[in-house]
Amino acid sequence: MTGSADTVLTGTRSARSRPSSNGARSPRAALPLAAVAAAFTLAQLLLVRPGMGLGWDEAVYVSQVGARAPAAYFSAPRARGISLLVAPVAAWSSSTVLLRCYLATLSGLALYVALRTWRGLFPPRVLTLAAALLASLWVTLFYGLQAMPNYWVAMGALVTVGSYLRAGASPSRRGALGGLAAGAALLGWMRPMDAVWVVLPLLALGLRHRDPRRAAALLAGLAAGAAEWVIEAYVRYGGLLHRLSEGSAIQGGLGWHLALVDQLRSLGGRTLCRPCAGALPGPLVTFWWCALPLLAALALLFAVRAGRTAATALPLACAASAAFPYLFLIGYAAPRFLLPAYALLAPPVAAALLRLASAPPRPWRPVAAGALCLAFAVHLGAQLTVLVRTADIAASGHRSWSRTATTLHRLGVRAPCLVTGEDALPVAFYAGCASAATSGPNTDTTADAIARTARRVPTATLVPAGANPPPYARAWPWVAAENRRLYYTPGRGEGFPVRPRQVGDG
């Protein structure tokens, strides 16, 4: 470790700080971790249910590669990594069940691989508990089988930071450098801006202590993953700075926003908290979230005393960096935003919990271990309660969109067709139509363009009950559909709608 950044973090090398051991390399040592990963996959399929329809953001990502509906508007902050991830299934099948089973299996495998990257940095039992802690969160279970990028950013963060530490401990280990590049590529592939926040501590450490091999692997991975996003910025969004600016505007403008309480409110089962008001979640959910930073600080204290600071300090720093923009820079909240931070906190927190269980005198250790198991069981019960409720609410909303799509088909609005108005994007996806918006973050057309399109193809506009329709739809017939008014016209010819503004079009 002499000459590496880890020397500064860990101090004098001791037997306790060596990154590998025979136990960590034993195939049997990985069996408990594999069991947790398999249980994670099974729990997703049983509790979230693969038959649950696709959500709003999922419809955007899947439509880019699927044949079910035309590609939905692809706004500036999004990246196409998740679309490519689902392409092996979505490109030839419209089955949501098949897609969810594919993603659940893949997410379980990713959990196993990501935490195996940390072998030698922590004992196998710590990694097993870390997997269980992360997999027990309702937000992890809910998003693991969804066509959303946040879980995959979390897995990329684990692989990147774990590989960075292992490459520093053994500079000649090519596998660790390869894992570092692969993890960074996955980060950039899924969400380039999140990738930057996750790796900031790694970049700062590399610059300070001059570690060219790790820095090169990290930067090469980031560049490979983010290349498509950067190229698309110039092709469709008027340049990189314009895309960043447009992405910031869609998110309400990046600036100082204290979103700590908003994030806590969202943990009660709100997948998007914008605006974020209402009651805080129950005490059991609140407790684990408030205890998390305290356990992280305790983990760092134990690591300093044990002389193995790097494996704890670096993931804690990366977790804090990944969480910072979502806690302090945007004015709304969604629990999935903090998944990368939770993933990076899992190994150090698991180590701290096991250290607490072994701290009492030997006769009392079974009592401490039992108390830890009991606390975990209560925590798991609270998380599963939120999970089931959240999945039921989401499934109900998806069924509403599906029923509206059925109404559209009954009225003769079938592909090729266009849907605008409230919830137009997911409803259009379910109906196999294109969608368009004249205002809001998905603005991609004008009222005149919609009126011209309506003369060629079947078109529908969804209007909230009690609201007036747009001028182009005032003479159209309408029916009631899911607490809305559905104005429609069957059109007079064939052809897909043509949008006047192509910047940012997916």
Side-chain angles (χ1 to χ4, degrees), residues 285-333:
V285 175
T286 302
F287 176 78
W288 81 261
W289 201 73
C290 294
L292 199 55
L294 300 178
L295 288 171
L298 195 60
L300 184 58
L301 176 62
F302 289 154
V304 170
R305 288 181 175 179
R308 45 180 306 150
T309 312
T312 297
L314 203 54
L316 293 183
C318 292
S321 180
F324 181 81
Y326 295 114
L327 294 177
F328 301 107
L329 296 183
I330 64 173
Y332 64 98

mmCIF file of all heavy atoms in Angstrom, residues 285-333:
data_model
loop_
_atom_site.group_PDB
_atom_site.id
_atom_site.type_symbol
_atom_site.label_atom_id
_atom_site.label_comp_id
_atom_site.label_asym_id
_atom_site.label_seq_id
_atom_site.Cartn_x
_atom_site.Cartn_y
_atom_site.Cartn_z
ATOM 1 N N VAL A 285 -40.269 3.705 10.464
ATOM 2 C CA VAL A 285 -39.596 4.154 9.241
ATOM 3 C C VAL A 285 -38.714 5.352 9.545
ATOM 4 O O VAL A 285 -37.575 5.449 9.061
ATOM 5 C CB VAL A 285 -40.634 4.487 8.155
ATOM 6 C CG1 VAL A 285 -39.954 5.075 6.919
ATOM 7 C CG2 VAL A 285 -41.419 3.242 7.766
ATOM 8 N N THR A 286 -39.230 6.266 10.348
ATOM 9 C CA THR A 286 -38.453 7.451 10.705
ATOM 10 C C THR A 286 -37.192 7.077 11.480
ATOM 11 O O THR A 286 -36.120 7.664 11.263
ATOM 12 C CB THR A 286 -39.315 8.407 11.538
ATOM 13 O OG1 THR A 286 -40.480 8.767 10.793
ATOM 14 C CG2 THR A 286 -38.544 9.662 11.912
ATOM 15 N N PHE A 287 -37.316 6.091 12.355
ATOM 16 C CA PHE A 287 -36.195 5.737 13.226
ATOM 17 C C PHE A 287 -34.989 5.257 12.432
ATOM 18 O O PHE A 287 -33.857 5.694 12.666
ATOM 19 C CB PHE A 287 -36.630 4.663 14.229
ATOM 20 C CG PHE A 287 -35.505 4.175 15.091
ATOM 21 C CD1 PHE A 287 -35.067 4.928 16.169
ATOM 22 C CD2 PHE A 287 -34.867 2.962 14.821
ATOM 23 C CE1 PHE A 287 -34.014 4.484 16.965
ATOM 24 C CE2 PHE A 287 -33.819 2.521 15.605
ATOM 25 C CZ PHE A 287 -33.391 3.284 16.683
ATOM 26 N N TRP A 288 -35.197 4.328 11.493
ATOM 27 C CA TRP A 288 -34.033 3.776 10.784
ATOM 28 C C TRP A 288 -33.351 4.856 9.955
ATOM 29 O O TRP A 288 -32.123 4.887 9.849
ATOM 30 C CB TRP A 288 -34.425 2.582 9.915
ATOM 31 C CG TRP A 288 -35.028 2.912 8.578
ATOM 32 C CD1 TRP A 288 -36.346 2.936 8.257
ATOM 33 C CD2 TRP A 288 -34.326 3.258 7.374
ATOM 34 N NE1 TRP A 288 -36.517 3.290 6.939
ATOM 35 C CE2 TRP A 288 -35.298 3.489 6.365
ATOM 36 C CE3 TRP A 288 -32.981 3.400 7.042
ATOM 37 C CZ2 TRP A 288 -34.973 3.861 5.066
ATOM 38 C CZ3 TRP A 288 -32.644 3.769 5.742
ATOM 39 C CH2 TRP A 288 -33.638 3.991 4.774
ATOM 40 N N TRP A 289 -34.152 5.788 9.393
ATOM 41 C CA TRP A 289 -33.557 6.822 8.544
ATOM 42 C C TRP A 289 -32.731 7.790 9.382
ATOM 43 O O TRP A 289 -31.665 8.222 8.975
ATOM 44 C CB TRP A 289 -34.665 7.559 7.787
ATOM 45 C CG TRP A 289 -34.185 8.270 6.569
ATOM 46 C CD1 TRP A 289 -33.794 7.714 5.383
ATOM 47 C CD2 TRP A 289 -34.059 9.689 6.402
ATOM 48 N NE1 TRP A 289 -33.435 8.692 4.486
ATOM 49 C CE2 TRP A 289 -33.584 9.912 5.077
ATOM 50 C CE3 TRP A 289 -34.298 10.783 7.220
ATOM 51 C CZ2 TRP A 289 -33.357 11.190 4.578
ATOM 52 C CZ3 TRP A 289 -34.067 12.068 6.718
ATOM 53 C CH2 TRP A 289 -33.601 12.257 5.411
ATOM 54 N N CYS A 290 -33.235 8.133 10.570
ATOM 55 C CA CYS A 290 -32.504 9.038 11.450
ATOM 56 C C CYS A 290 -31.311 8.340 12.094
ATOM 57 O O CYS A 290 -30.293 8.985 12.411
ATOM 58 C CB CYS A 290 -33.437 9.578 12.530
ATOM 59 S SG CYS A 290 -34.758 10.650 11.892
ATOM 60 N N ALA A 291 -31.417 7.020 12.289
ATOM 61 C CA ALA A 291 -30.305 6.278 12.897
ATOM 62 C C ALA A 291 -29.168 6.027 11.918
ATOM 63 O O ALA A 291 -28.025 5.767 12.332
ATOM 64 C CB ALA A 291 -30.814 4.949 13.443
ATOM 65 N N LEU A 292 -29.457 6.116 10.619
ATOM 66 C CA LEU A 292 -28.462 5.769 9.605
ATOM 67 C C LEU A 292 -27.192 6.625 9.713
ATOM 68 O O LEU A 292 -26.079 6.079 9.724
ATOM 69 C CB LEU A 292 -29.089 5.876 8.223
ATOM 70 C CG LEU A 292 -28.401 5.147 7.077
ATOM 71 C CD1 LEU A 292 -28.236 3.666 7.396
ATOM 72 C CD2 LEU A 292 -29.213 5.309 5.794
ATOM 73 N N PRO A 293 -27.288 7.959 9.774
ATOM 74 C CA PRO A 293 -26.042 8.736 9.904
ATOM 75 C C PRO A 293 -25.305 8.475 11.208
ATOM 76 O O PRO A 293 -24.067 8.523 11.243
ATOM 77 C CB PRO A 293 -26.520 10.193 9.817
ATOM 78 C CG PRO A 293 -27.972 10.164 10.106
ATOM 79 C CD PRO A 293 -28.457 8.838 9.624
ATOM 80 N N LEU A 294 -26.025 8.163 12.277
ATOM 81 C CA LEU A 294 -25.366 7.844 13.546
ATOM 82 C C LEU A 294 -24.596 6.530 13.439
ATOM 83 O O LEU A 294 -23.469 6.412 13.936
ATOM 84 C CB LEU A 294 -26.402 7.770 14.669
ATOM 85 C CG LEU A 294 -27.205 9.048 14.924
ATOM 86 C CD1 LEU A 294 -28.231 8.816 16.025
ATOM 87 C CD2 LEU A 294 -26.267 10.195 15.287
ATOM 88 N N LEU A 295 -25.195 5.544 12.799
ATOM 89 C CA LEU A 295 -24.498 4.272 12.592
ATOM 90 C C LEU A 295 -23.293 4.450 11.679
ATOM 91 O O LEU A 295 -22.260 3.798 11.860
ATOM 92 C CB LEU A 295 -25.466 3.242 12.006
ATOM 93 C CG LEU A 295 -26.521 2.701 12.971
ATOM 94 C CD1 LEU A 295 -27.555 1.864 12.217
ATOM 95 C CD2 LEU A 295 -25.862 1.858 14.069
ATOM 96 N N ALA A 296 -23.407 5.331 10.693
ATOM 97 C CA ALA A 296 -22.277 5.593 9.801
ATOM 98 C C ALA A 296 -21.120 6.218 10.579
ATOM 99 O O ALA A 296 -19.948 5.846 10.387
ATOM 100 C CB ALA A 296 -22.714 6.510 8.669
ATOM 101 N N ALA A 297 -21.431 7.170 11.463
ATOM 102 C CA ALA A 297 -20.385 7.786 12.281
ATOM 103 C C ALA A 297 -19.749 6.751 13.215
ATOM 104 O O ALA A 297 -18.525 6.741 13.418
ATOM 105 C CB ALA A 297 -20.975 8.943 13.086
ATOM 106 N N LEU A 298 -20.572 5.870 13.762
ATOM 107 C CA LEU A 298 -20.051 4.821 14.635
ATOM 108 C C LEU A 298 -19.158 3.861 13.855
ATOM 109 O O LEU A 298 -18.114 3.413 14.348
ATOM 110 C CB LEU A 298 -21.220 4.065 15.266
ATOM 111 C CG LEU A 298 -20.914 3.161 16.464
ATOM 112 C CD1 LEU A 298 -20.329 3.979 17.610
ATOM 113 C CD2 LEU A 298 -22.185 2.445 16.914
ATOM 114 N N ALA A 299 -19.559 3.547 12.625
ATOM 115 C CA ALA A 299 -18.733 2.679 11.781
ATOM 116 C C ALA A 299 -17.369 3.298 11.532
ATOM 117 O O ALA A 299 -16.335 2.601 11.560
ATOM 118 C CB ALA A 299 -19.449 2.422 10.452
ATOM 119 N N LEU A 300 -17.344 4.607 11.290
ATOM 120 C CA LEU A 300 -16.063 5.284 11.066
ATOM 121 C C LEU A 300 -15.201 5.253 12.323
ATOM 122 O O LEU A 300 -13.981 5.035 12.249
ATOM 123 C CB LEU A 300 -16.315 6.720 10.625
ATOM 124 C CG LEU A 300 -15.080 7.545 10.247
ATOM 125 C CD1 LEU A 300 -14.312 6.877 9.118
ATOM 126 C CD2 LEU A 300 -15.479 8.959 9.867
ATOM 127 N N LEU A 301 -15.821 5.451 13.478
ATOM 128 C CA LEU A 301 -15.081 5.399 14.733
ATOM 129 C C LEU A 301 -14.460 4.015 14.947
ATOM 130 O O LEU A 301 -13.275 3.889 15.301
ATOM 131 C CB LEU A 301 -16.017 5.742 15.892
ATOM 132 C CG LEU A 301 -15.414 5.652 17.306
ATOM 133 C CD1 LEU A 301 -14.261 6.641 17.462
ATOM 134 C CD2 LEU A 301 -16.485 5.901 18.359
ATOM 135 N N PHE A 302 -15.254 2.968 14.736
ATOM 136 C CA PHE A 302 -14.721 1.605 14.885
ATOM 137 C C PHE A 302 -13.583 1.352 13.891
ATOM 138 O O PHE A 302 -12.588 0.699 14.227
ATOM 139 C CB PHE A 302 -15.832 0.582 14.659
ATOM 140 C CG PHE A 302 -16.855 0.516 15.759
ATOM 141 C CD1 PHE A 302 -18.152 0.091 15.507
ATOM 142 C CD2 PHE A 302 -16.523 0.876 17.052
ATOM 143 C CE1 PHE A 302 -19.093 0.015 16.518
ATOM 144 C CE2 PHE A 302 -17.463 0.808 18.080
ATOM 145 C CZ PHE A 302 -18.749 0.379 17.814
ATOM 146 N N ALA A 303 -13.741 1.848 12.660
ATOM 147 C CA ALA A 303 -12.718 1.616 11.635
ATOM 148 C C ALA A 303 -11.416 2.313 11.993
ATOM 149 O O ALA A 303 -10.323 1.758 11.795
ATOM 150 C CB ALA A 303 -13.225 2.097 10.277
ATOM 151 N N VAL A 304 -11.508 3.527 12.521
ATOM 152 C CA VAL A 304 -10.290 4.250 12.923
ATOM 153 C C VAL A 304 -9.571 3.505 14.040
ATOM 154 O O VAL A 304 -8.349 3.338 14.017
ATOM 155 C CB VAL A 304 -10.658 5.684 13.352
ATOM 156 C CG1 VAL A 304 -9.442 6.369 13.994
ATOM 157 C CG2 VAL A 304 -11.142 6.492 12.161
ATOM 158 N N ARG A 305 -10.323 3.025 14.999
ATOM 159 C CA ARG A 305 -9.715 2.284 16.104
ATOM 160 C C ARG A 305 -9.089 0.979 15.636
ATOM 161 O O ARG A 305 -8.083 0.523 16.201
ATOM 162 C CB ARG A 305 -10.769 1.993 17.167
ATOM 163 C CG ARG A 305 -11.200 3.233 17.953
ATOM 164 C CD ARG A 305 -12.225 2.871 19.008
ATOM 165 N NE ARG A 305 -12.568 4.011 19.845
ATOM 166 C CZ ARG A 305 -13.463 3.972 20.830
ATOM 167 N NH1 ARG A 305 -14.104 2.823 21.084
ATOM 168 N NH2 ARG A 305 -13.722 5.043 21.535
ATOM 169 N N ALA A 306 -9.673 0.361 14.588
ATOM 170 C CA ALA A 306 -9.155 -0.907 14.081
ATOM 171 C C ALA A 306 -8.021 -0.715 13.090
ATOM 172 O O ALA A 306 -7.413 -1.691 12.654
ATOM 173 C CB ALA A 306 -10.280 -1.717 13.439
ATOM 174 N N GLY A 307 -7.742 0.511 12.695
ATOM 175 C CA GLY A 307 -6.664 0.771 11.752
ATOM 176 C C GLY A 307 -6.976 0.393 10.322
ATOM 177 O O GLY A 307 -6.081 0.105 9.543
ATOM 178 N N ARG A 308 -8.269 0.383 9.946
ATOM 179 C CA ARG A 308 -8.646 0.077 8.560
ATOM 180 C C ARG A 308 -9.667 1.105 8.092
ATOM 181 O O ARG A 308 -10.808 0.798 7.766
ATOM 182 C CB ARG A 308 -9.188 -1.344 8.429
ATOM 183 C CG ARG A 308 -10.192 -1.787 9.473
ATOM 184 C CD ARG A 308 -10.662 -3.211 9.249
ATOM 185 N NE ARG A 308 -11.185 -3.415 7.921
ATOM 186 C CZ ARG A 308 -11.130 -4.576 7.263
ATOM 187 N NH1 ARG A 308 -10.536 -5.614 7.812
ATOM 188 N NH2 ARG A 308 -11.646 -4.694 6.060
ATOM 189 N N THR A 309 -9.227 2.344 8.050
ATOM 190 C CA THR A 309 -10.125 3.476 7.807
ATOM 191 C C THR A 309 -10.616 3.528 6.373
ATOM 192 O O THR A 309 -11.760 3.910 6.117
ATOM 193 C CB THR A 309 -9.402 4.787 8.144
ATOM 194 O OG1 THR A 309 -8.782 4.663 9.414
ATOM 195 C CG2 THR A 309 -10.381 5.952 8.163
ATOM 196 N N ALA A 310 -9.782 3.179 5.404
ATOM 197 C CA ALA A 310 -10.105 3.419 3.997
ATOM 198 C C ALA A 310 -11.400 2.749 3.570
ATOM 199 O O ALA A 310 -12.240 3.359 2.916
ATOM 200 C CB ALA A 310 -8.960 2.942 3.110
ATOM 201 N N ALA A 311 -11.577 1.470 3.935
ATOM 202 C CA ALA A 311 -12.747 0.717 3.478
ATOM 203 C C ALA A 311 -14.042 1.268 4.053
ATOM 204 O O ALA A 311 -15.124 0.944 3.558
ATOM 205 C CB ALA A 311 -12.594 -0.755 3.857
ATOM 206 N N THR A 312 -13.942 2.095 5.089
ATOM 207 C CA THR A 312 -15.129 2.706 5.671
ATOM 208 C C THR A 312 -15.251 4.168 5.276
ATOM 209 O O THR A 312 -16.325 4.633 4.896
ATOM 210 C CB THR A 312 -15.099 2.575 7.206
ATOM 211 O OG1 THR A 312 -15.121 1.190 7.552
ATOM 212 C CG2 THR A 312 -16.287 3.278 7.841
ATOM 213 N N ALA A 313 -14.157 4.922 5.360
ATOM 214 C CA ALA A 313 -14.221 6.358 5.109
ATOM 215 C C ALA A 313 -14.589 6.672 3.664
ATOM 216 O O ALA A 313 -15.377 7.595 3.407
ATOM 217 C CB ALA A 313 -12.877 6.998 5.453
ATOM 218 N N LEU A 314 -14.041 5.926 2.721
ATOM 219 C CA LEU A 314 -14.288 6.252 1.319
ATOM 220 C C LEU A 314 -15.731 6.007 0.895
ATOM 221 O O LEU A 314 -16.346 6.878 0.271
ATOM 222 C CB LEU A 314 -13.315 5.475 0.428
ATOM 223 C CG LEU A 314 -13.054 6.086 -0.955
ATOM 224 C CD1 LEU A 314 -12.617 7.534 -0.829
ATOM 225 C CD2 LEU A 314 -12.002 5.274 -1.701
ATOM 226 N N PRO A 315 -16.341 4.845 1.207
ATOM 227 C CA PRO A 315 -17.755 4.703 0.851
ATOM 228 C C PRO A 315 -18.658 5.687 1.574
ATOM 229 O O PRO A 315 -19.655 6.150 1.008
ATOM 230 C CB PRO A 315 -18.081 3.251 1.248
ATOM 231 C CG PRO A 315 -17.000 2.820 2.156
ATOM 232 C CD PRO A 315 -15.787 3.589 1.745
ATOM 233 N N LEU A 316 -18.316 6.055 2.818
ATOM 234 C CA LEU A 316 -19.117 7.058 3.512
ATOM 235 C C LEU A 316 -19.019 8.406 2.804
ATOM 236 O O LEU A 316 -20.021 9.125 2.663
ATOM 237 C CB LEU A 316 -18.655 7.191 4.962
ATOM 238 C CG LEU A 316 -18.884 5.986 5.882
ATOM 239 C CD1 LEU A 316 -18.447 6.315 7.300
ATOM 240 C CD2 LEU A 316 -20.338 5.552 5.866
ATOM 241 N N ALA A 317 -17.825 8.771 2.360
ATOM 242 C CA ALA A 317 -17.656 10.029 1.640
ATOM 243 C C ALA A 317 -18.424 10.018 0.320
ATOM 244 O O ALA A 317 -19.082 11.003 -0.045
ATOM 245 C CB ALA A 317 -16.173 10.293 1.387
ATOM 246 N N CYS A 318 -18.353 8.910 -0.406
ATOM 247 C CA CYS A 318 -19.077 8.811 -1.676
ATOM 248 C C CYS A 318 -20.580 8.802 -1.458
ATOM 249 O O CYS A 318 -21.343 9.364 -2.258
ATOM 250 C CB CYS A 318 -18.638 7.557 -2.428
ATOM 251 S SG CYS A 318 -16.936 7.613 -3.036
ATOM 252 N N ALA A 319 -21.048 8.165 -0.368
ATOM 253 C CA ALA A 319 -22.475 8.171 -0.052
ATOM 254 C C ALA A 319 -22.949 9.583 0.242
ATOM 255 O O ALA A 319 -24.021 10.012 -0.232
ATOM 256 C CB ALA A 319 -22.747 7.255 1.143
ATOM 257 N N ALA A 320 -22.169 10.334 1.023
ATOM 258 C CA ALA A 320 -22.542 11.719 1.339
ATOM 259 C C ALA A 320 -22.563 12.575 0.070
ATOM 260 O O ALA A 320 -23.460 13.397 -0.123
ATOM 261 C CB ALA A 320 -21.561 12.296 2.357
ATOM 262 N N SER A 321 -21.591 12.372 -0.803
ATOM 263 C CA SER A 321 -21.542 13.127 -2.051
ATOM 264 C C SER A 321 -22.720 12.793 -2.956
ATOM 265 O O SER A 321 -23.339 13.674 -3.554
ATOM 266 C CB SER A 321 -20.224 12.837 -2.774
ATOM 267 O OG SER A 321 -20.129 13.549 -3.981
ATOM 268 N N ALA A 322 -23.071 11.493 -3.047
ATOM 269 C CA ALA A 322 -24.197 11.074 -3.890
ATOM 270 C C ALA A 322 -25.517 11.628 -3.373
ATOM 271 O O ALA A 322 -26.414 11.958 -4.158
ATOM 272 C CB ALA A 322 -24.249 9.548 -3.950
ATOM 273 N N ALA A 323 -25.660 11.727 -2.054
ATOM 274 C CA ALA A 323 -26.919 12.197 -1.466
ATOM 275 C C ALA A 323 -27.033 13.707 -1.475
ATOM 276 O O ALA A 323 -28.154 14.243 -1.446
ATOM 277 C CB ALA A 323 -27.038 11.684 -0.026
ATOM 278 N N PHE A 324 -25.921 14.411 -1.521
ATOM 279 C CA PHE A 324 -25.931 15.868 -1.338
ATOM 280 C C PHE A 324 -26.889 16.607 -2.271
ATOM 281 O O PHE A 324 -27.704 17.414 -1.806
ATOM 282 C CB PHE A 324 -24.508 16.422 -1.494
ATOM 283 C CG PHE A 324 -24.417 17.901 -1.288
ATOM 284 C CD1 PHE A 324 -24.374 18.440 -0.017
ATOM 285 C CD2 PHE A 324 -24.409 18.770 -2.380
ATOM 286 C CE1 PHE A 324 -24.303 19.810 0.177
ATOM 287 C CE2 PHE A 324 -24.343 20.143 -2.200
ATOM 288 C CZ PHE A 324 -24.284 20.665 -0.916
ATOM 289 N N PRO A 325 -26.852 16.398 -3.603
ATOM 290 C CA PRO A 325 -27.751 17.173 -4.461
ATOM 291 C C PRO A 325 -29.220 16.918 -4.182
ATOM 292 O O PRO A 325 -30.054 17.817 -4.344
ATOM 293 C CB PRO A 325 -27.360 16.733 -5.880
ATOM 294 C CG PRO A 325 -26.705 15.408 -5.708
ATOM 295 C CD PRO A 325 -26.014 15.470 -4.386
ATOM 296 N N TYR A 326 -29.569 15.706 -3.767
ATOM 297 C CA TYR A 326 -30.969 15.372 -3.527
ATOM 298 C C TYR A 326 -31.449 15.795 -2.141
ATOM 299 O O TYR A 326 -32.655 15.833 -1.890
ATOM 300 C CB TYR A 326 -31.185 13.873 -3.723
ATOM 301 C CG TYR A 326 -30.949 13.459 -5.152
ATOM 302 C CD1 TYR A 326 -29.883 12.629 -5.487
ATOM 303 C CD2 TYR A 326 -31.770 13.928 -6.168
ATOM 304 C CE1 TYR A 326 -29.658 12.261 -6.813
ATOM 305 C CE2 TYR A 326 -31.554 13.572 -7.486
ATOM 306 C CZ TYR A 326 -30.492 12.745 -7.802
ATOM 307 O OH TYR A 326 -30.271 12.387 -9.108
ATOM 308 N N LEU A 327 -30.524 16.117 -1.267
ATOM 309 C CA LEU A 327 -30.894 16.612 0.061
ATOM 310 C C LEU A 327 -30.846 18.129 0.147
ATOM 311 O O LEU A 327 -31.531 18.730 0.977
ATOM 312 C CB LEU A 327 -29.970 16.021 1.126
ATOM 313 C CG LEU A 327 -30.052 14.511 1.345
ATOM 314 C CD1 LEU A 327 -29.018 14.070 2.378
ATOM 315 C CD2 LEU A 327 -31.448 14.102 1.788
ATOM 316 N N PHE A 328 -30.042 18.765 -0.741
ATOM 317 C CA PHE A 328 -29.807 20.197 -0.577
ATOM 318 C C PHE A 328 -29.927 21.027 -1.851
ATOM 319 O O PHE A 328 -29.863 22.258 -1.773
ATOM 320 C CB PHE A 328 -28.410 20.428 0.018
ATOM 321 C CG PHE A 328 -28.210 19.777 1.356
ATOM 322 C CD1 PHE A 328 -27.414 18.646 1.470
ATOM 323 C CD2 PHE A 328 -28.819 20.279 2.492
ATOM 324 C CE1 PHE A 328 -27.222 18.034 2.704
ATOM 325 C CE2 PHE A 328 -28.633 19.677 3.727
ATOM 326 C CZ PHE A 328 -27.835 18.555 3.836
ATOM 327 N N LEU A 329 -30.088 20.423 -3.024
ATOM 328 C CA LEU A 329 -30.040 21.211 -4.261
ATOM 329 C C LEU A 329 -31.299 21.150 -5.111
ATOM 330 O O LEU A 329 -31.389 21.879 -6.102
ATOM 331 C CB LEU A 329 -28.838 20.779 -5.121
ATOM 332 C CG LEU A 329 -27.455 21.023 -4.521
ATOM 333 C CD1 LEU A 329 -26.373 20.617 -5.512
ATOM 334 C CD2 LEU A 329 -27.275 22.477 -4.106
ATOM 335 N N ILE A 330 -32.260 20.277 -4.819
ATOM 336 C CA ILE A 330 -33.502 20.249 -5.584
ATOM 337 C C ILE A 330 -34.684 20.406 -4.628
ATOM 338 O O ILE A 330 -34.606 20.016 -3.464
ATOM 339 C CB ILE A 330 -33.653 18.967 -6.426
ATOM 340 C CG1 ILE A 330 -33.743 17.726 -5.531
ATOM 341 C CG2 ILE A 330 -32.521 18.819 -7.412
ATOM 342 C CD1 ILE A 330 -34.068 16.468 -6.315
ATOM 343 N N GLY A 331 -35.765 20.978 -5.152
ATOM 344 C CA GLY A 331 -36.881 21.343 -4.298
ATOM 345 C C GLY A 331 -37.989 20.316 -4.209
ATOM 346 O O GLY A 331 -39.131 20.670 -3.913
ATOM 347 N N TYR A 332 -37.697 19.071 -4.471
ATOM 348 C CA TYR A 332 -38.684 18.007 -4.315
ATOM 349 C C TYR A 332 -37.956 16.723 -3.947
ATOM 350 O O TYR A 332 -36.725 16.722 -3.829
ATOM 351 C CB TYR A 332 -39.520 17.829 -5.586
ATOM 352 C CG TYR A 332 -38.736 17.377 -6.793
ATOM 353 C CD1 TYR A 332 -38.707 16.041 -7.174
ATOM 354 C CD2 TYR A 332 -38.048 18.299 -7.588
ATOM 355 C CE1 TYR A 332 -37.992 15.630 -8.282
ATOM 356 C CE2 TYR A 332 -37.342 17.886 -8.707
ATOM 357 C CZ TYR A 332 -37.312 16.558 -9.041
ATOM 358 O OH TYR A 332 -36.608 16.148 -10.139
ATOM 359 N N ALA A 333 -38.695 15.664 -3.744
ATOM 360 C CA ALA A 333 -38.062 14.441 -3.238
ATOM 361 C C ALA A 333 -38.686 13.211 -3.875
ATOM 362 O O ALA A 333 -39.846 13.214 -4.276
ATOM 363 C CB ALA A 333 -38.201 14.358 -1.712
#
